[in-house]
Amino acid sequence: MPLMESGILARIRDLLPGGGELLDDCGALPPTPPGQTLLVTTDLMESGQHFRLDWHPPELLARKLLAVNLSDLDASGARPFGYTLTLALGPEVAAPWLDIFLASLAAVSRETGVRVLGGDTVGRPVGLGLGLTAFGFAPRWLRRDGLQPGDGIFTDQRPGASLRGLRKLQAGQRWDPANPDPELAAHLAPRPNLGLGLSLAQIPEVHACLDLSDGLSRDLRNLAEASGLSIILDQGLNEDALRGGEDYARCFGSSLDQAELEARLGLSLVPVGKVLPRGNAPLLTYDEGALRPLPDFSFDHFGRP
């Protein structure tokens, strides 16, 4: 029996935190606390473009959909409180699949303390489209444009695991919950270090931050261009770290050294670059002893195959 909109909405109201309050066309945002900034982020995930239904279990896909949005908020120094959800469902999406997806989305919503605020559902001829817009309050908004010359650039995990997981999927390996592969998990169900962004925002010497989602060759370029400076890559980075995306690490610049930051944060960091005055390119690397511009190796959604 095909899914009906009334049945989908009933599932959302029953399963998701906050769903019981979805009685109107509009939802309400809570008042912004004094001295804080309301931040919003949104992501669209399309089957065939961002995931494949035959290798992405619904319980992991739901976790990823929410995690990638909350990761953006956290990297900006915000504490999330809610989201809107849009579902565009083709006929191949059956009721049991949707129930598992929504149950998992409800579970991770409770884990992270967020609730659904509204959204929309629509049918489509084929495939699955997932849209999520998340909201949070930031006592201090960590932007991309605050880098200073001399800052070190660090991440809270070594990039590249998600890319290696994607390669395994492309080679035919599939998720086995009885024997979870950490690199498959990094791609299918990332678990960003939520809360770290809030801690970074409390350190005045942390000047800029973003969510590492497009790979270092793009994200470091974004930091450098926003700040009008250049970044020289750490020489210990491998090609997977430069090319990979969807790692969802905090990537930030600070005038404090690595040891001081690790002591304050209580975790290990990975140095990935150093900020310089603006040179002939936003992102530089050593090539045979000389500084040269680094190309952008990241995936382009609008690029030609």
Side-chain angles (χ1 to χ4, degrees):
M1 182 175 179
L3 288 166
M4 303 293 290
E5 185 174 23
S6 59
I8 297 170
L9 293 176
R11 287 172 165 86
I12 290 172
R13 292 190 180 108
D14 289 344
L15 290 172
L16 297 184
E21 299 176 22
L22 301 182
L23 304 175
D24 293 280
D25 287 333
C26 296
L29 301 179
T32 303
Q36 299 193 31
T37 304
L38 172 65
L39 300 185
V40 60
T41 183
T42 191
D43 270 290
L44 175 65
M45 295 172 60
E46 284 277 335
S47 59
Q49 180 80 350
H50 303 94
F51 63 91
R52 279 178 40 177
L53 287 168
D54 60 333
W55 72 31
H56 214 139
E59 64 272 20
L60 301 188
L61 186 59
R63 176 172 290 276
K64 183 171 185 176
L65 175 66
L66 186 55
V68 301
N69 281 273
L70 299 189
S71 182
D72 277 332
L73 287 174
D74 184 77
S76 298
R79 187 187 306 277
F81 62 82
Y83 60 89
T84 62
L85 173 67
T86 299
L87 301 174
L89 307 173
E92 65 269 50
V93 180
W97 190 100
L98 182 61
D99 285 342
I100 295 171
F101 175 89
L102 290 175
S104 179
L105 184 60
V108 71
S109 297
R110 287 189 288 269
E111 288 173 19
T112 53
V114 296
R115 58 192 295 156
V116 65
L117 303 170
D120 195 17
T121 60
V122 67
R124 59 190 286 171
V126 66
L128 172 63
L130 303 170
L132 194 140
T133 298
F135 302 87
F137 294 128
R140 176 194 170 204
W141 183 3
L142 275 179
R143 298 165 56 99
R144 298 181 177 186
D145 59 359
L147 290 179
Q148 299 179 13
D151 282 354
I153 308 292
F154 305 93
T155 64
D156 65 297
Q157 58 179 280
R158 188 166 296 279
S162 177
L163 175 61
R164 292 189 291 274
L166 175 61
R167 288 185 185 133
K168 289 179 178 180
L169 290 165
Q170 292 169 333
Q173 187 173 336
R174 294 294 178 262
W175 176 253
D176 179 5
N179 186 28
D181 181 297
E183 291 178 338
L184 287 184
H187 184 75
L188 295 173
R191 290 181 178 263
N193 191 354
L194 299 179
L196 177 56
L198 284 166
S199 297
L200 292 171
Q202 294 171 8
I203 302 175
E205 296 88 353
V206 172
H207 299 138
C209 186
L210 55 63
D211 159 73
L212 189 60
S213 56
D214 292 327
L216 283 173
S217 70
R218 170 73 58 80
D219 287 322
L220 290 183
R221 179 176 272 97
N222 289 339
L223 275 176
E225 289 180 336
S227 297
L229 299 167
S230 292
I231 296 174
I232 180 172
L233 283 170
D234 189 273
Q235 296 186 67
L237 297 170
N238 60 29
E239 189 169 337
D240 283 354
L242 298 178
R243 292 183 178 274
E246 299 195 327
D247 287 299
Y248 304 108
R250 312 307 79 174
C251 181
F252 65 94
S254 176
S255 56
L256 298 178
D257 63 28
Q258 183 175 347
E260 175 68 16
L261 287 165
E262 290 178 339
R264 292 200 192 188
L265 298 170
L267 50 78
S268 297
L269 298 172
V270 179
V272 296
K274 191 78 171 179
V275 181
L276 307 173
R278 185 60 190 247
N280 63 346
L283 193 55
L284 302 165
T285 186
Y286 279 106
D287 180 15
E288 297 181 353
L291 275 178
R292 304 186 188 281
L294 183 80
D296 185 346
F297 298 125
S298 61
F299 174 74
D300 185 350
H301 288 285
F302 300 96
R304 294 183 178 180

